[in-house]
Amino acid sequence: MSYAFPPGGLPDQLQSPEGTAVFTEAYAVLPAITQRDIVTSFLPGWQNTRVWILARPLTGFAETFSQYAVEVEPEGGSATPEPDVHAQAVIFVASGTARLTLGQDFYDLRAGSYVYIPPSAVWTFWNTSDQPCRFHWIRKRYEPGEGTSVPDALVTHETDVPAISMPGCNDTWATQRFLEPLDLDYDFHVNIVNFLPGGRIPFAETHVMEHGLYVLQGTADYLLNKDWVSVGPGDFIWLRAFCPQACIATGDEPFRYLLYKDVNRHAKL
């Protein structure tokens, strides 16, 4: 498996500044070429670490989550990684290795590792190798619901989570669901969606869920509102609620993306 990540660096001076990045009232596309050194930030409490902040709550746009791509150099990391006691998170490792502690337990993470971290969890993250560790970090404030409780932490690997085919698609469209879909304790999901070449979402989905969509592998033509956009590895798509969306996988390899969506709670009135 390969998992895309921001390329960093800086394009050559001969590169045309005209690109395919777009921000509209319904969606945004941040192509991989825009995810360069000059747009990184550093985080309080983290050492030898830089971050691309790809999404954060914006009033009138997507309001429920933030999404980071984090690069931790050797001996880097944090003993106090999360400043918001109400925040829950998913971490997905794109490359390298790291040591994660959750309470009294520790885990050695590698590319493809998936972690759900509940709110108020005590955790640390350190790169103990001699190579950078790169991971995707999605954060959301937990919303209690009637009859629900805070979920337990989860550490797994994508090879341990089967891809479930969608009905009537001849196995060309499948989703790896890391968090139990019918468990209402969860108020968000982060899945990996998989398409074989030619596979597609055969209708324009229009729904209340917000999305952060990071392309891990492959290429596709993606319908966003009324526009078709070509996307590939490392491109990030940010969708507000009710933005119509569909895709057709192109190329000769699977098209795969990491997908955030908010679920399982009443609409605020």
Side-chain angles (χ1 to χ4, degrees), residues 29 31 34 101 130 158 210 223 230 245:
V29 179
T34 68
T101 66
D130 59 1
E158 79 131 314
E210 299 174 350
L223 175 66
S230 295
Q245 61 189 276

Side-chain angles (χ1 to χ4, degrees), residues 54-140:
L54 301 173
R56 68 170 181 84
L58 288 179
T59 300
F61 191 69
E63 302 180 344
T64 61
F65 76 108
S66 66
Q67 185 156 343
Y68 302 167
V70 185
E71 183 175 72
V72 184
E73 295 295 331
E75 300 184 1
S78 180
T80 55
E82 176 53 68
D84 188 338
V85 70
H86 302 291
Q88 60 189 326
V90 161
I91 284 174
F92 184 78
V93 180
S95 65
T97 59
R99 170 66 60 91
L100 171 80
T101 66
L102 266 171
Q104 300 299 312
D105 301 320
F106 68 86
Y107 304 89
D108 291 318
L109 306 182
R110 67 188 196 278
S113 289
Y114 180 107
V115 183
Y116 170 75
I117 301 173
S120 299
V122 177
W123 60 286
T124 69
F125 189 101
W126 294 100
N127 181 355
T128 57
S129 75
D130 59 1
Q131 298 294 321
C133 177
R134 301 179 174 97
F135 67 93
H136 300 281
W137 183 8
I138 297 167
R139 304 167 62 236
K140 180 185 184 296

